[in-house]
Amino acid sequence: MTAVTTTNNQLPAHLQGVQKSAKIGNIDSSDLVLPRIKLLQAVSPELDAFNDAKKGEFWHTIASQSLGTVLRGIPIVIRKSFVLWSPRGDDRGILARANDGLNWDAPAGTEFTVKPKKSPHNVTYKLGETVHDRVDGLPALSEFGSSIPGDANSPPAAALTYQILWYFPDLPGMSPAIMINTRSSVKAGKDLISKVDMRPVDHYAGAYQISIAKEVGDDGDFYNYRYAMDGYASEDEYVFAKQLFDRFGGADWKANDEDTSEDDAKAGGGAASSSKGGAKDSKKF
């Protein structure tokens, strides 16, 4: 087990205990880009870019620093979306998304031609108004059988995605930050949501241990998220977590490398999950 400790002791003496108070300019929430905590996989580009990056460890994308294999976190906001990815090797990356968990950001009728893995030929994805619309008699892009039309066992073309904004009490300088659960890690995200729902208090009053599990997928071994209850926030942690929720709960934020980092989405091969619903934010988050 490895861990990283970052504290305000890294600040010079005259800045310790000083709180931010000045506004840097005429920016608003639309300019807000938050760091992401990635779970590095064998295909992660960070392994080539940084000497201390190791597969199977958490990585802070702005600090460019490993955070080890175990974190203690308090969830601030969880948002559900759908992302239509191009296949691995296709430089287009994200083709379309439904940030509210329901409506596509591109007009209905927009088409994308791709060559999915295991498909003998090119296929065309055609957007409806929502991710659950069936177009031209084909499965909705959120349903199984949609990534390779005619193959009922093929995963959904549109990846159900959970963006989880975390506060790490032991790493305040690395907080808040976003973790993304999609494709093979959607099950872990749903497990976290179920654990949060079981508790009798607001979600930002509960603490969780975030660790790593090695699993086997269609493309070989990969690393997945694991969440376990870890008691409750202290009084100071609870007050700060609530302040973060009040600030970010209704804000428009995104991960700093979300558009270009697809290794999480494709780790583990074809594992996926289908879900219907439309709430951008649960009332509990």
Side-chain angles (χ1 to χ4, degrees), residues 21-284:
S21 59
K23 183 174 175 62
I24 195 171
N26 64 334
I27 60 174
D28 56 33
S29 63
S30 65
D31 302 296
L32 191 59
V33 177
L34 297 175
R36 180 180 169 199
I37 306 297
K38 296 179 63 175
L39 175 48
L40 296 184
Q41 308 289 341
V43 296
S44 297
E46 289 82 2
L47 300 184
D48 294 326
F50 300 96
N51 292 331
D52 59 342
K54 298 178 182 179
K55 63 182 180 180
E57 292 190 357
F58 294 116
W59 184 262
H60 193 285
T61 59
I62 288 184
S64 298
Q65 180 178 340
S66 173
L67 301 185
T69 59
V70 178
L71 296 168
R72 178 175 177 268
I74 297 172
I76 304 303
V77 183
I78 300 180
R79 289 182 174 170
K80 181 172 75 172
S81 63
F82 283 86
V83 179
L84 183 63
W85 286 95
S86 62
R88 182 180 296 176
D90 187 324
D91 293 337
R92 288 177 292 176
I94 293 177
L95 301 175
R97 68 172 75 221
N99 283 327
D100 64 356
L102 183 62
N103 300 288
W104 290 115
D105 63 357
T110 301
E111 297 184 352
F112 304 96
T113 299
V114 300
K115 176 67 165 59
K117 182 180 179 181
K118 299 182 181 180
S119 174
H121 48 72
N122 289 343
V123 302
T124 298
Y125 301 146
K126 188 174 182 179
L127 301 185
E129 291 287 349
T130 78
V131 298
H132 306 306
D133 288 344
R134 296 179 176 179
V135 181
D136 298 334
L138 297 175
L141 295 178
S142 62
E143 296 177 335
F144 279 90
S146 60
S147 60
I148 304 178
D151 180 357
N153 295 320
S154 66
L160 172 62
T161 301
Y162 296 113
Q163 291 184 314
I164 309 166
L165 183 64
W166 288 97
Y167 163 49
F168 305 108
D170 300 329
L171 299 169
M174 301 290 183
S175 305
I178 300 168
M179 286 183 173
I180 296 178
N181 285 174
T182 188
R183 295 291 194 194
S184 54
S185 63
V186 159
K187 184 177 179 180
K190 290 185 174 183
D191 179 65
L192 171 65
I193 292 170
S194 296
K195 285 178 167 58
V196 171
D197 192 59
M198 288 174 60
R199 291 188 144 173
V201 293
D202 287 328
H203 61 279
Y204 46 78
Y208 298 83
Q209 183 188 82
I210 310 164
S211 59
I212 296 167
K214 190 174 184 179
E215 300 182 2
V216 178
D218 293 345
D219 294 333
D221 293 347
F222 70 101
Y223 298 93
N224 211 339
Y225 299 80
R226 178 176 290 169
Y227 302 108
M229 293 182 181
D230 193 21
Y232 290 90
S234 69
E235 183 175 357
D236 288 344
E237 291 169 353
Y238 172 78
V239 170
F240 188 70
K242 184 179 186 306
Q243 290 174 349
L244 289 176
F245 175 72
D246 291 341
R247 178 183 178 189
F248 292 103
D252 182 15
W253 44 263
K254 62 179 288 187
N256 73 299
D257 69 340
E258 179 188 358
D259 291 341
T260 57
S261 295
E262 59 199 82
D263 42 294
D264 281 354
K266 294 173 181 176
S273 179
S274 178
S275 174
K276 290 193 175 183
K280 178 178 179 181
D281 298 307
S282 165
K283 291 182 179 180
K284 290 185 69 68

